[in-house]
Amino acid sequence: MTYRELTETEIAQLKANGCYSTDWSLLSVAESFDAAKIRNVHFEGEVQIGENCRIENVGIIQTTESATFGEGTVLSVMNEAGNGNIMMYSGLSAQLAAVMMLYEGDKDFTSLIRKMISEEISLSRPRCTTIGDNVTVTGCRELTNVNIGNDCEICGASRLVECTLRSHKSANVFVGDDVICDNVIMQPGASVTDAARLYDTFVGEACHVGRGFTSENSVFFANSYMDNGESCAAFCGPFSVSHHKSSLLIGGQYSFYNAGSGTNFSNHAYKIGPIHYGTMHRGAKTASGAHILWPAQIGLFSMAMGKIQSHPDTRNLPFSYIISQGETTLVVPGRNLTTVGTFRDTAKWPKRDMRATEGRISHVNFDWLSPLTISECIKGKELLNEIQEVQGKNTQLYAIDGGAIRNHALTKGIKLYDLAIKMFIYDSLKDAQALLPTTTSGTGDWLDLAGMLAPATEIDALYNDIMSGNITDIQTLEDRLADIHDQYESYRWAFAYNLITKHYGIDTLEDSDINAIRQECASAREEWLLSIRRDAEKEYNMGDVSLDTLNDFLKTITVQ
């Protein structure tokens, strides 16, 4: 964009429109600037305005010394009292943020990443407050050191200080009434509305924050939705949702998460300080009134209920109910695998991706029966068998790390994890031919990088390339992450092939094996769908669900 100085005629018109500046020469504009669309605005310092902008009734728009526009701000996520671990910039992906978290204890790695980000920022940081093309700003009190991208709309905001709003025509950014933002970056499709208060916060693609929600030192990525409550030092990956008042997300990492009303997390033992943290792994959620005392690790697709103070680690027990009963935390392994809630959740997330299809920044993989999930199911089955063998088959209450499992729940959990494993095998062979995998990556451990599923070996290789100097800039790093995401099906097949051959004790998978194995595993899928049906009918029998609602849901099961 080429900017020019105002003409004398334009300055006169701006003054007639109620505008003011101590030095009009510091205001530069696009060639087609229309002064008639600028009314009752106070400008201070250097400011640039693009084409076709409407700016009315703004207390002050200004640039001050050492403006950062929020870029380069280092947030202390998870550990509220930490030294900072995520450096913000407008192109930050959920995956890069997750990598920064993964290796935050490595000072050399952190230094290299921050150097790359700083260099990236220097390539695009404006020298002053900049308002892009087709921007509307009305009824605001203060805009200080802001970089507003094309097609943004800011209506009635109280204050934006050190902020960057990155948008494009098909995914604009909207900031609404009474909003306060200090050190905030927003990505395409973001909206911050209704008296939200954001301090040192990153709002990613198609994320919403509103209705008085307060955030500090937090990041939100890819379709996260926050209303009414508050967050502090929270890492909210894709589809993290909190609608209710009195809900506090603090010191935690979340993704595909739903907070029940009144959900609270505690990161302070009132000893050393607010230093504790934990993770609600992919698809985990909390019931109304839940309270989890960090540290804790809540496994994939689990449901936490009540006041949980025993610091459970259920990473190897996915799909569990985790229930507080007095001083005991009961774990019901695998139970959430066969519920209507999990069925609906996994089906709705892909449909609710509101990001613009072009230019997406973060990577989101919606595969729920993934190698990561099945790896945890395999570990869970092995763990439950070991517990049963060590503590005895007739034990009524088995002790585990941070909790207990009832006898019948343990036995059922083994069956449910076996069900999930067979469902994965069935799905993997659905359209498969007996082809050897093209890679060995994927046969080992897997990671969930804030929505992107990846073999741990690939992320280790990425780390090594950064440390060795093979990757020296952010674009190359992001391209590498994108390539890992794009190779998911190859990695998944490598995992599936390895699992199937080990499970059935064969060296190679032949075409003749596929039909036989699929037929064996088909019953597992049928059993799962039948369990979902029974869970829906159980809810219908409560008496306040219409028959039409039940039948509409049962039709979705039929088409699976």
Side-chain angles (χ1 to χ4, degrees):
M1 170 67 70
T2 301
Y3 296 93
R4 60 171 176 82
E5 293 185 356
L6 294 168
T7 65
E8 291 298 325
T9 301
E10 288 168 336
I11 293 172
Q13 185 170 7
L14 288 171
K15 289 179 177 179
N17 290 348
C19 297
Y20 172 80
S21 176
T22 54
D23 187 348
W24 289 105
S25 69
L26 296 176
L27 180 61
S28 55
V29 297
E31 189 60 40
S32 60
F33 174 73
D34 184 355
K37 294 182 178 180
I38 315 297
R39 295 179 177 275
N40 301 319
V41 182
H42 177 188
F43 296 99
E44 282 294 335
E46 191 175 2
V47 177
Q48 295 177 335
I49 301 176
E51 298 178 347
N52 193 33
C53 292
R54 182 169 69 92
I55 307 173
E56 298 178 353
N57 304 317
V58 180
I60 189 167
I61 299 176
Q62 63 180 339
T63 304
T64 62
E65 291 185 5
S66 303
T68 68
F69 311 99
E71 304 223 55
T73 299
V74 177
L75 308 181
S76 292
V77 178
M78 302 283 279
N79 183 352
E80 182 187 352
N83 294 321
N85 43 29
I86 294 179
M87 178 180 275
M88 293 199 301
Y89 80 105
S90 62
L92 180 65
S93 68
Q95 286 64 56
L96 180 53
V99 167
M100 284 190 264
M101 291 289 301
L102 186 64
Y103 296 108
E104 66 171 316
D106 189 322
K107 292 183 179 179
D108 292 336
F109 178 84
T110 297
S111 177
L112 288 172
I113 291 292
R114 291 184 182 178
K115 180 176 182 289
M116 287 188 231
I117 292 175
S118 296
E119 290 173 352
E120 182 73 13
I121 290 170
S122 68
L123 296 175
S124 58
R125 177 183 281 164
R127 68 175 186 269
C128 65
T129 286
T130 300
I131 299 172
D133 300 338
N134 308 309
V135 172
T136 297
V137 182
T138 59
C140 301
R141 280 211 325 254
E142 177 187 357
L143 302 180
T144 298
N145 302 338
V146 293
N147 181 12
I148 303 171
N150 298 341
D151 303 293
C152 291
E153 185 174 356
I154 306 172
C155 296
S158 290
R159 181 176 79 236
L160 272 68
V161 176
E162 303 292 0
C163 294
T164 292
L165 281 60
R166 173 174 173 167
S167 67
H168 51 76
K169 184 170 290 187
S170 57
N172 70 320
V173 171
F174 177 77
V175 180
D177 289 344
D178 204 23
V179 166
I180 293 176
C181 290
D182 292 345
N183 267 324
V184 174
I185 291 178
M186 304 180 205
Q187 287 186 330
S191 64
V192 181
T193 65
D194 302 323
R197 268 65 174 143
L198 276 58
Y199 310 95
D200 299 316
T201 294
F202 185 91
V203 185
E205 302 163 281
C207 290
H208 164 84
V209 184
R211 296 188 179 181
F213 191 92
T214 301
S215 169
E216 182 177 355
N217 271 292
S218 296
V219 294
F220 305 96
F221 291 102
N223 301 286
S224 288
Y225 197 103
M226 300 286 147
D227 273 342
N228 297 305
E230 58 182 310
S231 71
C232 179
F235 187 118
C236 297
F239 295 93
S240 296
V241 175
S242 177
H243 283 287
H244 308 288
K245 293 181 179 178
S246 302
S247 290
L248 170 63
L249 308 184
I250 188 168
Q253 185 167 10
Y254 315 85
S255 68
F256 299 90
Y257 166 73
N258 197 317
S261 61
T263 288
N264 273 262
F265 297 87
S266 294
N267 69 336
H268 202 313
Y270 299 100
K271 295 177 183 178
I272 299 176
I275 60 173
H276 301 290
Y277 53 89
T279 301
M280 300 291 294
H281 290 268
R282 173 186 288 239
K285 52 189 174 182
T286 46
S288 295
H291 180 194
I292 298 178
L293 184 62
W294 295 137
Q297 297 287 333
I298 306 301
L300 296 160
F301 301 102
S302 295
M303 166 72 87
M305 294 169 264
K307 189 170 185 177
I308 298 170
Q309 305 176 73
S310 59
H311 312 294
D313 184 344
T314 66
R315 279 174 287 190
N316 294 343
L317 296 171
F319 298 106
S320 291
Y321 282 173
I322 302 163
I323 308 166
S324 173
Q325 289 196 353
E327 296 183 0
T328 302
T329 299
L330 290 179
V331 178
V332 186
R335 177 63 185 89
N336 209 30
L337 174 67
T338 56
T339 63
V340 170
T342 298
F343 180 91
R344 291 184 67 248
D345 284 344
T346 56
K348 76 185 180 186
W349 287 317
K351 300 173 184 176
R352 295 185 179 181
D353 193 344
M354 304 305 294
R355 296 176 298 159
T357 54
E358 75 274 10
R360 289 181 175 179
I361 299 169
S362 295
H363 308 291
V364 181
N365 189 323
F366 295 101
D367 191 7
W368 69 284
L369 274 185
S370 67
L372 175 66
T373 305
I374 298 307
S375 294
E376 299 301 343
C377 288
I378 292 170
K379 293 174 187 175
K381 182 180 175 182
E382 292 172 350
L383 175 62
L384 296 180
N385 277 318
E386 181 183 347
I387 290 170
Q388 190 178 61
E389 182 178 345
V390 172
Q391 299 185 32
K393 289 190 175 182
N394 296 321
T395 301
Q396 292 304 302
L397 194 66
Y398 296 99
I400 63 168
D401 183 17
I405 305 174
R406 290 194 171 121
N407 186 291
H408 70 277
L410 184 141
T411 302
K412 180 68 172 177
I414 293 171
K415 294 178 180 178
L416 288 169
Y417 290 143
D418 190 60
L419 185 76
I421 294 165
K422 289 182 177 178
M423 285 170 56
F424 174 80
I425 292 173
Y426 175 88
D427 182 68
S428 298
L429 296 177
K430 184 164 52 179
D431 301 313
Q433 295 177 329
L435 300 175
L436 288 171
T438 57
T439 178
T440 57
S441 289
T443 58
D445 292 335
W446 280 69
L447 298 172
D448 186 349
L449 293 179
M452 187 183 93
L453 301 171
T457 53
E458 292 299 314
I459 305 307
D460 289 342
L462 173 67
Y463 168 87
N464 291 332
D465 281 343
I466 292 170
M467 296 300 292
S468 65
N470 288 332
I471 295 177
T472 59
D473 64 273
I474 284 297
Q475 189 57 58
T476 303
L477 173 51
E478 289 287 10
D479 288 346
R480 178 71 166 274
L481 287 166
D483 183 65
I484 294 171
H485 175 68
D486 292 341
Q487 294 298 318
Y488 173 73
E489 291 300 330
S490 296
Y491 302 141
R492 188 186 195 275
W493 176 238
F495 175 89
Y497 194 97
N498 185 61
L499 170 64
I500 293 167
T501 52
K502 284 186 176 180
H503 189 81
Y504 289 96
I506 54 180
D507 294 328
T508 58
L509 182 63
E510 305 293 341
D511 286 331
S512 58
D513 299 320
I514 291 179
N515 287 335
I517 294 172
R518 270 183 56 81
Q519 287 177 11
E520 178 185 333
C521 294
S523 60
R525 182 171 181 78
E526 292 169 3
E527 181 182 346
W528 175 67
L529 292 174
L530 181 59
S531 297
I532 301 294
R533 182 184 185 93
R534 287 172 179 163
D535 196 46
E537 290 170 345
K538 180 180 178 181
E539 186 170 3
Y540 168 74
N541 289 332
M542 293 172 67
D544 59 350
V545 177
S546 71
L547 183 60
D548 286 343
T549 299
L550 173 65
N551 287 333
D552 286 344
F553 174 74
L554 295 180
K555 289 176 185 176
T556 67
I557 297 177
T558 303
V559 300
Q560 288 292 311

